[in-house]
Amino acid sequence: MAKILCVLYDDPAGGYPTSYPRDDLPQVERYPDGQTLPTPSAIDFTPGALLGSVSGELGLRKFLEDAGHEFIVTSDKDGPDSVFERELVDADVVISQPFWPAYMTTERFAKARNIKLVVTAGIGSDHTDLQSASERGVTVAEVTYCNSISVSEHVVMMILALVRNYLPSWDVVRTGGWNIADCAARSYDVEGMHIGTVAAGRIGSAVLRRLKPFDVHLHYYDPHRLPPEVEQELGVTFHERVEDMLPLCDVVTINAPLHPKTENLFDERMIGRMKRGAYLVNTARGKIVNRDAVAAALRSGQLAGYAGDVWFPQPAPQDHPWRTMPHHGMTPHISGTSLSAQARYAAGVREILECFFEGRPIRDEYLIVQGGHLAGAGAHSYSEGDTTDGSEEAAEFRAEQKLPPIPAQ
Ligand code: NDP
């Protein structure tokens, strides 16, 4: 019998949904590269239901309790008095989503004396100290590809929203106005623009593919170059260094994982290499950009707009400068947690747990750390080290909201 500790975001403010806007989800047979969707032996949820919040429980309770395991679900994840930190001491498995990450720092690994497996219900395991996981022989796995297409759709939406000045124009209507000049004075066409992606992995290449019909000029940087036939099909130009690509681009989108080599990549100097008035869209991770440099660049006009859904830490405190900086299109971390994506990553987490409990190998493409090293997808895309430094600040949000800790279920 194992203890599984699962951190999920809070239920909707009005309570767990009893109905949804749509009655079904489209059937996706395979991911674009042919990888199969998750293959658990069964699922105990209805695809399209809210699974990522506390009452949704990733649809795992029946499966785990029928097998005799203890299953704790909480949203109270930050600070030494949190339910998460109390329950962690004897947990065998920790599960959390990047949207509401249970930061697994060195200190927390030291407290978690039984921990064997840390699962990211989603993609991006930077909230786990991968160095500590390696040193302690803990396996780290995520559900590769589960929400890559979801995010690529979001990136395209955010590029269009920024360039065309959608959100301020929507706000004019919402507040009873009709001043067209206010809307038009910052509105452009995407057609003909140069758009570059930092990383052309699953999300980055899906963004390129989706942008191609807009008649734009496409660019990318990635440590591994795409096959020539893919470059040709997309009509995309490769650059040896991010620095070389930036001065050419009207729009830059960041689609790389956060690891020591990408942390703070977009600092003041790097943003200074961008064209004046460029747009930056970051749905990868907040820490890849320098938060104060982004806010300053929007104020000076070096950036015409910044959008994304990723912050550091998460949740972001009230005084996070991105809440109030000009010309931004930020949302909470939502692009990879559409109801469509949730059905895939809930099934993927179940597949990983079934493998773990039955002693079967976890798919190589789901592995980030195993056997004391970066492994599988982790060995391909991450570098050794830890990016959780500073995550304690996330505790401020709950304190500011003056919410009592939410009890474990
Ligand atoms: P992939 O692993 O398919 O792609 C990641 C790409 O990043 C790879 O091509 C990799 O290169 C590249 N890369 C690694 N290091 C660098 C670097 N130093 N500079 C530039 N590129 C680099 O993952 P996905 O595309 O599916 O996801 C990418 C990231 O997006 C995730 O790690 C996560 O942080 C974020 N994400 C955000 C979500 C959200 O809800 N906002 C949801 C899902 C993901 P190579 O492997 O060729 O070496």
Side-chain angles (χ1 to χ4, degrees), residues 220-221 238-246 270 273:
Y220 80 103
Y221 163 76
F238 173 70
H239 298 268
E240 297 278 351
R241 303 182 318 152
V242 182
E243 289 90 324
D244 301 336
M245 181 177 82
L246 296 185
M270 199 66 119
R273 289 191 66 82

Side-chain angles (χ1 to χ4, degrees), residues 314-325:
Q314 291 187 175
Q318 290 301 319
D319 64 355
H320 194 296
W322 292 1
R323 289 184 186 270
T324 49
M325 64 191 181

Side-chain angles (χ1 to χ4, degrees), residues 33 35 122-125 130 140-146 148 201-202 224 256-259 352 362-370 373-384:
D33 69 352
Q35 183 189 311
I123 304 173
S125 296
L130 300 181
V140 180
E142 60 185 48
V143 191
T144 300
Y145 233 143
C146 64
S148 303
R202 293 172 182 82
H224 293 92
L258 170 63
H259 56 86
I352 290 168
I362 295 170
R363 289 189 202 200
D364 208 43
E365 64 254 35
Y366 288 174
L367 288 174
I368 302 299
V369 170
Q370 194 176 49
H373 303 282
L374 292 173
H380 197 72
S381 292
Y382 283 78
S383 57
E384 303 280 350

Side-chain angles (χ1 to χ4, degrees), residues 20-136:
Y20 294 89
R22 296 180 51 78
D23 298 325
D24 60 6
L25 295 180
Q27 285 292 320
V28 176
E29 303 299 338
R30 276 179 184 269
Y31 296 117
D33 69 352
Q35 183 189 311
T36 53
L37 269 73
T39 51
S41 61
I43 52 169
D44 299 316
F45 58 83
T46 307
L50 181 63
L51 302 167
S53 75
V54 170
S55 297
E57 301 184 319
L58 294 177
L60 292 172
R61 184 167 295 279
K62 182 175 183 316
F63 158 64
L64 291 172
E65 291 188 344
D66 283 357
H69 301 301
E70 185 185 2
F71 186 43
I72 310 273
V73 181
T74 182
S75 67
D76 185 23
K77 70 184 184 73
D78 297 306
D81 302 326
S82 59
V83 171
F84 177 69
E85 206 149 320
R86 274 205 313 274
E87 299 288 348
L88 182 63
V89 286
D90 57 350
D92 299 274
V93 178
V94 163
I95 304 168
S96 81
Q97 304 162 108
F99 323 105
W100 188 255
Y103 291 106
M104 280 298 291
T105 57
T106 315
E107 296 73 28
R108 283 177 161 180
F109 268 112
K111 287 182 187 167
R113 54 177 190 266
N114 287 352
I115 192 78
K116 297 165 193 71
L117 174 67
V118 178
V119 182
T120 301
I123 304 173
S125 296
D126 48 276
H127 57 278
T128 296
D129 174 355
L130 300 181
Q131 192 70 38
S132 290
S134 299
E135 286 162 10
R136 291 166 186 275

Side-chain angles (χ1 to χ4, degrees), residues 147-148 151 199 201-203 222 224 257 259 283 309 333 335-336 380-381:
N147 54 15
S148 303
V151 178
R202 293 172 182 82
I203 297 174
D222 192 286
H224 293 92
H259 56 86
T283 53
D309 64 334
H333 192 167
S335 64
H380 197 72
S381 292

Side-chain angles (χ1 to χ4, degrees), residues 100-382:
W100 188 255
Y103 291 106
M104 280 298 291
T105 57
T106 315
E107 296 73 28
R108 283 177 161 180
F109 268 112
K111 287 182 187 167
R113 54 177 190 266
N114 287 352
I115 192 78
K116 297 165 193 71
L117 174 67
V118 178
V119 182
T120 301
I123 304 173
S125 296
D126 48 276
H127 57 278
T128 296
D129 174 355
L130 300 181
Q131 192 70 38
S132 290
S134 299
E135 286 162 10
R136 291 166 186 275
V138 174
T139 297
V140 180
E142 60 185 48
V143 191
T144 300
Y145 233 143
C146 64
N147 54 15
S148 303
I149 300 303
S150 323
V151 178
S152 72
E153 292 182 2
H154 215 81
V155 172
V156 174
M157 174 187 79
M158 286 184 150
I159 291 173
L160 291 170
L162 284 183
V163 173
R164 302 202 57 82
N165 206 31
Y166 171 56
L167 289 171
S169 308
W170 174 81
D171 210 40
V172 165
V173 170
R174 202 183 56 87
T175 53
W178 194 264
N179 192 319
I180 292 169
D182 277 341
C183 306
R186 294 189 67 88
S187 175
Y188 296 89
D189 292 350
V190 169
E191 183 185 25
M193 284 189 164
H194 287 255
I195 306 185
T197 173
V198 178
R202 293 172 182 82
I203 297 174
S205 54
V207 168
L208 292 171
R209 193 155 270 117
R210 278 156 182 73
L211 285 172
K212 189 170 180 254
F214 283 88
D215 290 332
V216 291
H217 305 277
L218 295 172
H219 303 258
Y220 80 103
Y221 163 76
D222 192 286
H224 293 92
R225 196 163 172 174
L226 293 168
E229 61 278 12
V230 177
E231 283 188 5
Q232 205 172 6
E233 177 209 335
L234 295 172
V236 61
T237 305
F238 173 70
H239 298 268
E240 297 278 351
R241 303 182 318 152
V242 182
E243 289 90 324
D244 301 336
M245 181 177 82
L246 296 185
L248 303 172
C249 291
D250 303 287
V251 181
V252 173
T253 155
I254 304 174
N255 298 297
L258 170 63
H259 56 86
K261 286 189 183 151
T262 56
E263 185 167 353
N264 209 37
L265 180 65
F266 278 74
D267 57 6
E268 190 186 349
R269 188 189 67 87
M270 199 66 119
I271 294 172
R273 289 191 66 82
M274 296 175 71
K275 272 175 86 167
R276 191 195 81 83
Y279 303 88
L280 185 56
V281 171
N282 175 17
T283 53
R285 283 298 180 261
K287 256 193 170 181
I288 297 176
V289 303
N290 180 291
R291 72 173 152 188
D292 294 328
V294 165
L298 287 168
R299 290 207 168 83
S300 72
Q302 171 61 14
L303 288 179
Y306 180 91
D309 64 334
V310 286
W311 306 65
F312 187 81
Q314 291 187 175
Q318 290 301 319
D319 64 355
H320 194 296
W322 292 1
R323 289 184 186 270
T324 49
M325 64 191 181
H327 314 306
H328 81 78
M330 293 300 298
T331 64
H333 192 167
I334 55 160
S335 64
T337 189
S338 57
L339 295 176
S340 324
Q342 289 179 33
R344 290 188 291 271
Y345 65 70
V349 171
R350 169 132 177 202
E351 178 188 327
I352 290 168
L353 292 175
E354 286 180 1
C355 291
F356 174 72
F357 290 130
E358 292 165 21
R360 288 188 283 120
I362 295 170
R363 289 189 202 200
D364 208 43
E365 64 254 35
Y366 288 174
L367 288 174
I368 302 299
V369 170
Q370 194 176 49
H373 303 282
L374 292 173
H380 197 72
S381 292
Y382 283 78

